Amino acid sequence: QVLLVESGGGLAQSGGSLKLSCAASESISSFIEIGWYRRGPGKQRELVAVFTRGSLIKYADSVKGRFTISRDEDKNTVALQMNSLKPEDTAVYYCHTLSTTFFNSWGQGTQVTVSS
């Protein structure tokens, strides 16, 4: 099972920026999916931005144009640049991978809080 460690969360003001990073304990090149999900207060976990097989990128409609996902296969990391943050972006953000055997792995989560 891959170990995923997130970093970069914290407090930001509305309109500000934060960058999250996720370090994987093994090569990220073979995963069917790798990226970011989040769970806001009182909400279900939702997809934020992911790479799918074939290097396609999927973004939640709510973050399109504001968030950018990137990855570095040499360092086995995936990052999420979050700009123009809104209070509704407040959530715990989780790094996620889906293996070729359809095994889901999750990081421990990192808190992002956006103040108005």
Side-chain angles (χ1 to χ4, degrees):
Q1 179 177 349
V2 61
L3 177 64
L4 303 170
V5 179
E6 301 104 334
S7 60
L11 178 65
Q13 291 189 332
S14 182
S17 299
L18 285 173
K19 185 173 184 177
L20 306 182
S21 184
C22 172
S25 61
E26 62 184 68
S27 173
I28 65 172
S29 61
S30 63
F31 290 114
I32 292 176
E33 181 184 285
I34 182 167
W36 297 91
Y37 287 70
R38 69 186 180 187
R39 177 176 285 156
K43 299 180 181 179
Q44 292 187 330
R45 186 158 51 193
E46 62 176 355
L47 180 149
V48 178
V50 296
F51 286 100
T52 62
R53 218 168 200 180
S55 297
L56 296 176
I57 298 176
K58 185 185 302 183
Y59 289 102
D61 288 342
S62 60
V63 307
K64 283 180 181 177
R66 301 189 297 121
F67 290 12
T68 303
I69 190 172
S70 62
R71 65 186 180 188
D72 186 331
E73 293 192 355
D74 290 333
K75 297 181 179 179
N76 295 321
T77 58
V78 61
L80 185 69
Q81 177 66 46
M82 305 184 294
N83 298 328
S84 301
L85 284 163
K86 303 176 180 180
E88 51 263 43
D89 295 318
T90 294
V92 179
Y93 285 70
Y94 297 92
C95 185
H96 168 261
T97 60
L98 179 65
S99 74
T100 55
T101 56
F102 302 100
F103 188 85
N104 287 284
S105 295
W106 297 92
Q108 81 284 358
T110 185
Q111 177 71 46
V112 171
T113 302
V114 183
S115 62
S116 56

